[in-house]
Structure formats: C-alpha cells, structure tokens
Amino acid sequence: MLSRTADNLYWIARYMERADTVARLLEVGSRISLIPSVHGYRSEWDSLLQATGMADSFAKKYGDPVQRNIESFLFFDRDNPSSVASCFTAARENGRIVRTALTTQVWDALNTAFQELKALERTPRSELELSRLTEWVMRHAAMVRGAIDATLLRNDGYNFLNIGYYLERGDNTARLMDVKYYVLLPRVDFVGSGLDNYQWTTLLRAMGAQRAFHWAYGGEVTAAKIADFLILNPQSPRSLATCSAGLVNHMGRVAKAYGRETAAQDKARVLQAEIEGATVEAIFEEGLHEYLTRFIAEVAVLAQAINEAYLSGEMR
C-alpha cells in the first residue's frame, strides 16, 4: 500500500473519532452548565476549551467564552480544524481520495454524514438544539465505525484505520478526563464532594460509559474508581489500556505484513507497558493532570513516529 493511501485511511479514522469527542465535550459542557456555578475564577465552558487546547485560537476570534460562541466554534466553524464540520468534511475528502480502498457501505456512511452536515449548516441556529447536534454526530460516527468493522477486509488498510482510531481515542479520553482538572482547579476542597461525584458521572455519561462503569464497579462514583476504569481497565472500551493494546495489536499486524518493525512499534509497546505497570495510587501521587498531560505528550511522539515510518514516503 502506498503511504499516501495509508495516510488517508489513518486520517479518516482520526477525524471521525475527533468529531465524536468534540460532540461529547459539548454535551459535558451543556450538562455541567446546568448546575450552579461554584466559583468565579473560570467558567465550565472555558474549561472545555482549556482541556482541548483550543482556548487561545477561540479567544483570538471570539473573545470571552460565551456558550453560543463556543458551540459555533466547536461545531460549525470551518476556521477551527478540530470543529465537527471541519472533521466531517476532512474525513469525507480523505475517503473520496481513497474511494477504491473503501467498501460502498463505508463510503455511503461518510458521504451521508457530509451531505446532512451541509443541510444543518443551512438551517437557522435558532432551530438547532445542542442535544440534537451532539446526538447526530455520535450517530454518524458510530455508523462509519460500524461499516468499517462489518465490511472491510482485514488487510493493512483496516489496520491503519484502527491505528488512527485507537490513537485519537486514547488522546481524547485523556483530554476528556482532564476537563475535571480545569473545572475543579480553583476549589480543591470540592474533591470527594457530591458536586465532584456529579461531574464525574456527567463525564461518564458523555462518554457513553456510565452503564459499563456501574457493571464493573457498582456503588459510589469516586475519582479513584473512574481513574482505574478509564486508564487501567482493559475491559473499558475507552480506557488508555484498551487503546494502547489496540495500537500494539494493529501495529504488530502492519509490521508482520511488511516484514519489518520500526521505531513506532517500540514506542507503542513502551506506552502499553507504562500503562500496564501503573496503579491508581501511583497516578494520583504523580497528579492526575500531570499523568494525563504526560500521556498526551507520549501519544504525540508515537503519532510522529507512525508518520515518519509509514505515512511520509512509499511504504515497503
């Protein structure tokens, strides 16, 4: 497979997963904004921008973090490369370029999402509820993922799609968890309170993980349980452990298909070993925010290694 084809497939997955996460972040923001503010230092909507790393680009264009502007910035703004509109458009364009590497079902799922997006953009904002928009994004992201899993041949193209999915999902799970750091930063005495537990529950619900969490742990929602579930538990579909294991698996399959390993496989195994060797106690001793920040940086290094090994030249 040519590297440019692998690059297009890899980015289809990353863009679709990123759009799904942006929708979930908007849902978190809308739910948390419904409860009374506990401090005047930083708004809950601003915390979402901080966690996604888009606060500066938002401030340059819109100024103060007003809810309606944040919704526009994260959903419709084409100047924001991580907005839902930008991600869906880029995923569809990547799919169009490698149309022959996709099944009809995968292409139809990508193209349908893009056509419906254009219809949404023509609809007056006053007629679009945020909940309708976020549900729409999550439904189409699931349709594309389902079409990939159900219809694609398990070849190197399928592996590059999954590498993109796992890399983006691991990064986004860490960023979603880090929202809690920014929300609670000014008042650490809220840790362990009812408000603290409500915000953790809101995050679980936005990730679609609330039921799975209660099946796995039951009882009270605590920061330690959620850290274990979303970082260390290999049964959790969004956990960092699951994402790192998925990366090692699909990168191993790529190495086998091409007859040699690269530095990217080594970095993926190191990332997985670090997570498997961690404990909740050690993570909290380091600091949850510091641990997640370090993980996000390591994922960026791994992404660069994948790009240099497989996406920047003709693959052999």
Side-chain angles (χ1 to χ4, degrees), residues 205-221:
R205 187 179 293 120
M207 293 186 197
Q210 189 181 24
R211 181 69 61 87
F213 174 84
H214 285 292
W215 280 339
Y217 298 88
E220 186 181 2
V221 176

Side-chain angles (χ1 to χ4, degrees), residues 33 49 51 90 122 159 225 258:
S33 67
L49 294 173
R122 292 192 295 269
N159 290 322
K225 286 181 180 178
Y258 291 97

Side-chain angles (χ1 to χ4, degrees), residues 24-214:
R24 294 178 188 279
L25 277 167
L26 283 168
E27 186 166 312
V28 169
S30 68
R31 289 181 183 276
I32 290 180
S33 67
L34 293 177
I35 63 176
S37 178
V38 296
H39 51 73
Y41 174 74
R42 179 184 288 163
S43 78
E44 286 76 3
W45 282 102
D46 187 38
S47 70
L48 301 187
L49 294 173
Q50 296 288 346
T52 57
M54 292 187 278
D56 291 341
S57 56
F58 174 85
K60 289 178 182 175
K61 184 167 185 177
Y62 294 94
D64 293 335
V66 179
Q67 178 175 345
R68 186 176 178 81
N69 288 342
I70 291 177
E71 292 176 8
S72 297
F73 179 69
L74 293 180
F75 198 97
F76 290 108
D77 197 331
R78 300 279 183 162
D79 292 334
N80 174 12
S82 295
S83 72
V84 170
S86 295
C87 288
F88 270 32
T89 301
R92 191 257 192 186
E93 178 61 16
N94 278 275
R96 187 190 63 76
I97 294 170
V98 292
R99 174 70 184 84
T100 56
L102 303 175
T103 60
T104 300
Q105 289 84 351
V106 175
W107 169 248
D108 283 348
L110 284 169
N111 196 44
T112 299
F114 176 72
Q115 299 302 331
E116 291 188 16
L117 170 67
K118 291 200 294 185
L120 284 176
E121 289 177 317
R122 292 192 295 269
T123 305
R125 284 295 311 279
S126 59
E127 298 177 13
L128 296 174
E129 295 182 1
L130 182 58
S131 59
R132 174 188 166 192
L133 292 174
T134 56
E135 288 172 8
W136 177 84
V137 175
M138 288 185 269
R139 183 171 66 254
H140 280 285
M143 288 172 65
V144 172
R145 183 63 191 259
I148 290 170
D149 283 342
T151 64
L152 275 190
L153 197 65
R154 267 43 178 174
N155 58 9
D156 47 355
Y158 179 78
N159 290 322
F160 280 112
L161 280 162
N162 276 283
I163 289 169
Y165 268 118
Y166 281 120
L167 200 67
E168 189 72 25
R169 176 167 289 196
D171 178 270
N172 291 335
T173 295
R175 292 181 186 277
L176 280 164
M177 291 185 71
D178 213 22
V179 169
K180 276 290 292 173
Y181 167 80
Y182 287 103
V183 170
L184 288 178
L185 177 63
R187 295 284 299 275
V188 293
D189 53 312
F190 278 97
V191 175
S193 68
L195 177 62
D196 183 36
N197 293 341
Y198 173 82
Q199 290 174 333
W200 279 121
T201 303
T202 299
L203 272 179
L204 283 176
R205 187 179 293 120
M207 293 186 197
Q210 189 181 24
R211 181 69 61 87
F213 174 84
H214 285 292

Side-chain angles (χ1 to χ4, degrees), residues 251 261-269 302 305-306 308-310:
M251 294 185 67
E261 290 198 345
T262 68
Q265 276 79 14
D266 289 337
K267 292 184 184 304
R269 282 193 291 266
L302 174 57
I306 292 170
E308 292 173 357
Y310 295 107

